[in-house]
Amino acid sequence: MSKKRVFSGIQPTGQIHLGNYLGAVKNWVDSQDVYENIFCVVNSHAITTPQDPKELREKTFELAGMLLACGIDVGKSSLFVQSEIDAHPSLAWILDCNIAMGEMNRMTQFKDKSLKNPKNVNVGLFNYPALMAADILLYQADGVPVGEDQKQHLELARNVAIKFNRDFGTCFKIPEPMIPEVGARVMGLDDPQSKMSKSHKGANHAIFLLDSPDVILKKFKKATTDSLDTIVFDTERKGLYNLLGIYEVLTQKSRESIEAEFVGKGYGALKLAVAEVVIETLRPIREEYMRLSAQKGYIAQILKESADKVRPIAQATYQRAKELVGLI
Ligand code: TYM
């Protein structure tokens, strides 16, 4: 039986953090043997917010290197850069013409991003979910492993695929969201009410995958908690719940055994334990990244080979969509 295909993407903006890793990348790596995998550095999405061109080019390569360092194995997975395959924006246009304004207007990420940065409300930012739908639908993906914040975008991708298939004839597979039970929404360490994000300014907000052990320890020590003294999984105690969630996903221990481990202990002990497991998880990734980052030619070659491998899949889908709508 042939393997199910997964597709997912990540933007080369800011620095990749623990939320990206636990919500998405770790799951991509862990299930590489189970699926046929296509992963993408979505640089065209990145230009929906202002980018320095030179920096964007560098960050695209750096992120590809980070994904390889995290364990993406090109023997099992394809890893390419979005702008190298023209069918993405081309299909996005066809999808744009089949998405109602009302549906696009409901996207909460567009609202959040435009409120946070009112000077940068451009049409690309508004259309972002159509390009994301094109990414997924081009490859006839069965599943899309992402963090919880992408749920609404995936719903839109499914809706437009269903509508298109109904109106014009079968063209797209309807993709299923694959959102992990734990780690799907890692919160900021300084502010556990808000999602850990690349753009947040706080110095202790996010753990970056390239942070040194000292920095990681310092950030966890300063993590916001509360004034209660039991260590239990309680969704109302957001700071504590976030720390426990990180510990749970990285140690693979059960909630009961974690609670038992910390009976009679305080936040100091928990923060130290979480910091240690994060440090040990990230250590080999950081080391491998340092080794790989000296090999730009190798990374460029991998990206090219992957793009060449998956381009025919994208082209075939785009060609069919074109024919179905009468663009010949
Ligand atoms: P991006 O680059 O913001 O994030 C990459 C992945 O990391 C997940 N993530 C998180 N998971 C848990 N906790 C967090 N605090 C956290 N922050 C981010 C995201 O859910 C995502 O899975 N729109 C996408 C990129 C994209 C894409 C696609 C994804 C473009 N086309 C097609 C899947 C399929 C984004 O901005 O991800």
Side-chain angles (χ1 to χ4, degrees):
M1 219 172 76
S2 66
K3 287 179 175 173
K4 291 203 165 181
R5 183 180 292 159
V6 296
F7 179 96
S8 200
I10 179 166
Q11 294 194 70
T13 49
Q15 283 193 64
I16 180 169
H17 55 66
L18 192 63
N20 299 131
Y21 182 69
L22 298 183
V25 179
K26 181 178 186 301
N27 304 312
W28 303 355
V29 170
D30 289 351
S31 54
Q32 280 179 110
D33 287 323
V34 181
Y35 302 109
E36 182 199 332
N37 315 281
I38 306 179
F39 302 122
C40 184
V41 177
V42 292
N43 57 345
S44 304
H45 276 108
I47 62 167
T48 57
T49 56
Q51 305 294 333
D52 173 73
K54 182 170 175 282
E55 211 173 284
L56 176 61
R57 208 167 285 125
E58 282 166 7
K59 280 194 181 302
T60 302
F61 275 92
E62 282 168 18
L63 182 57
M66 276 306 298
L67 295 174
L68 295 172
C70 286
I72 296 298
D73 173 351
V74 285
K76 300 172 183 169
S77 303
S78 299
L79 174 65
F80 75 101
V81 176
Q82 186 184 31
S83 60
E84 293 304 292
I85 298 188
D86 294 339
H88 290 242
S90 303
L91 180 65
W93 175 249
I94 295 182
L95 299 181
D96 268 337
C97 299
N98 287 281
I99 299 170
M101 278 298 280
E103 176 151 29
M104 203 64 123
N105 265 328
R106 281 199 292 276
M107 296 295 114
T108 54
Q109 275 209 356
F110 173 73
K111 288 181 201 158
D112 292 349
K113 285 187 182 171
S114 12
L115 280 176
K116 264 192 209 146
N117 206 344
K119 287 200 182 119
N120 173 51
V121 186
N122 62 61
V123 179
L125 188 68
F126 183 71
N127 271 355
Y128 182 115
L131 181 58
M132 179 163 161
D135 296 341
I136 300 163
L137 300 178
L138 277 173
Y139 299 93
Q140 308 288 348
D142 295 285
V144 187
V146 281
E148 199 190 77
D149 61 345
Q150 298 302 316
K151 211 170 167 181
Q152 196 186 30
H153 290 160
L154 282 185
E155 202 49 49
L156 181 130
R158 286 170 56 88
N159 289 345
V160 66
I162 292 168
K163 178 181 181 306
F164 189 98
N165 287 351
R166 190 192 58 214
D167 293 351
F168 296 101
T170 305
C171 186
F172 306 120
K173 197 165 249 181
I174 311 303
E176 292 295 330
M178 297 163 67
I179 298 173
E181 269 172 35
V182 193
R185 193 172 178 81
V186 178
M187 308 307 277
L189 296 187
D190 59 345
D191 171 14
Q193 306 290 338
S194 64
K195 179 188 78 166
M196 187 177 282
S197 101
K198 293 173 190 151
S199 56
H200 198 285
K201 297 280 177 285
N204 294 312
H205 173 79
I207 300 288
F208 298 113
L209 300 201
L210 292 178
D211 278 348
S212 69
D214 287 353
V215 169
I216 296 174
L217 183 61
K218 196 183 87 202
K219 286 181 178 175
F220 275 111
K221 277 188 176 166
K222 289 195 175 156
T224 303
T225 42
D226 53 45
S227 52
L228 301 174
D229 59 4
T230 48
I231 295 188
V232 288
F233 282 85
D234 177 350
T235 49
E236 295 303 309
R237 295 166 66 188
K238 302 246 183 292
L240 171 63
Y241 191 74
N242 192 37
L243 293 177
L244 286 172
I246 296 170
Y247 194 65
E248 181 185 7
V249 66
L250 288 178
T251 58
Q252 298 283 300
K253 291 179 184 170
S254 71
R255 292 190 167 195
E256 297 72 50
S257 72
I258 293 174
E259 288 181 351
E261 189 177 334
F262 291 102
V263 169
K265 294 186 185 159
Y267 282 132
L270 173 67
K271 288 177 173 178
L272 196 65
V274 183
E276 266 171 16
V277 70
V278 171
I279 287 169
E280 290 318 315
T281 302
L282 299 188
R283 190 189 301 282
I285 294 177
R286 206 177 56 248
E287 287 170 2
E288 179 63 2
Y289 177 76
M290 294 309 169
R291 198 182 67 78
L292 276 173
S293 58
Q295 305 180 30
K296 293 238 162 54
Y298 169 71
I299 297 175
Q301 187 194 336
I302 281 180
L303 293 173
K304 184 183 179 310
E305 282 173 8
S306 280
D308 290 345
K309 186 168 157 208
V310 300
R311 190 177 288 107
I313 309 174
Q315 271 171 346
T317 305
Y318 177 56
Q319 185 60 33
R320 172 143 180 85
K322 253 174 94 176
E323 282 168 18
L324 285 168
V325 295
L327 292 180
I328 279 300

